[in-house]
Amino acid sequence: DIPKGLKQELGLIYGTRDTHPGIFEVKIHNPKKKNALQFSRGLFAKVINDANQNEKVKIILVYGSKDIFSAGNDLSIFLKGGFGDEESAERGVTKGVYNFVSCITTSKKPTVFLVRGMAVGISCTMASNADFIYATPSAKFQTPFMASF
């Protein structure tokens, strides 16, 4: 069950609980895909930007469901042909990643990331832009796009 005050949409559970009104929670919840992120939808950036506009919100807390923060990009959007063509795919992902990362770096509210388990690729990059990261002993940060350097 989703706690009162939170909404679930497109792999995110977000909002403020009635018991903690100043804390805006963003839970990455896509457990079948190890909390892979879907940038094309832009929901994460919209949620963070909306939290920044809410005067009652004092802090933004981001965490993953289960024992993993996030496996990074959900690459299945490419396999499904969700963008129509290669050029649209490149524009869509580039814009989505930019919006995703910039919403953290430009946040007016402090951002706190709780990382349990893996933070891979763009989720690792995203966490590195937070104001504060609490990494549990199980946290592991990986940037596969840097493996060839």
Side-chain angles (χ1 to χ4, degrees), residues 3-6 15-25 27 63:
K4 189 175 179 182
L6 302 184
T16 54
R17 297 179 195 231
D18 294 344
T19 54
H20 302 96
I23 302 172
F24 190 90
E25 295 181 36
K27 180 179 185 179
Y63 59 100

Side-chain angles (χ1 to χ4, degrees), residues 6-62:
L6 302 184
K7 297 181 197 177
Q8 184 170 4
E9 185 178 359
L10 297 174
L12 295 179
I13 298 174
Y14 61 93
T16 54
R17 297 179 195 231
D18 294 344
T19 54
H20 302 96
I23 302 172
F24 190 90
E25 295 181 36
V26 182
K27 180 179 185 179
I28 304 166
H29 185 70
N30 189 3
K32 289 181 181 176
K33 294 187 176 185
K34 298 186 180 187
N35 295 334
L37 302 161
Q38 299 173 328
F39 294 112
S40 63
R41 312 274 168 85
L43 180 62
F44 186 90
K46 179 188 179 317
V47 164
I48 297 296
N49 291 331
D50 288 350
N52 273 293
Q53 300 304 316
N54 185 337
E55 291 182 15
K56 294 178 183 176
V57 171
K58 304 300 179 205
I59 192 167
I60 299 170
L61 174 65
V62 181

Side-chain angles (χ1 to χ4, degrees), residues 84-106:
D85 59 44
E86 192 173 314
E87 184 179 331
S88 296
E90 185 177 324
R91 267 197 326 269
V93 171
T94 301
K95 183 177 180 184
V97 170
Y98 173 79
N99 290 341
F100 181 71
V101 173
S102 69
C103 76
I104 298 299
T105 59
T106 62

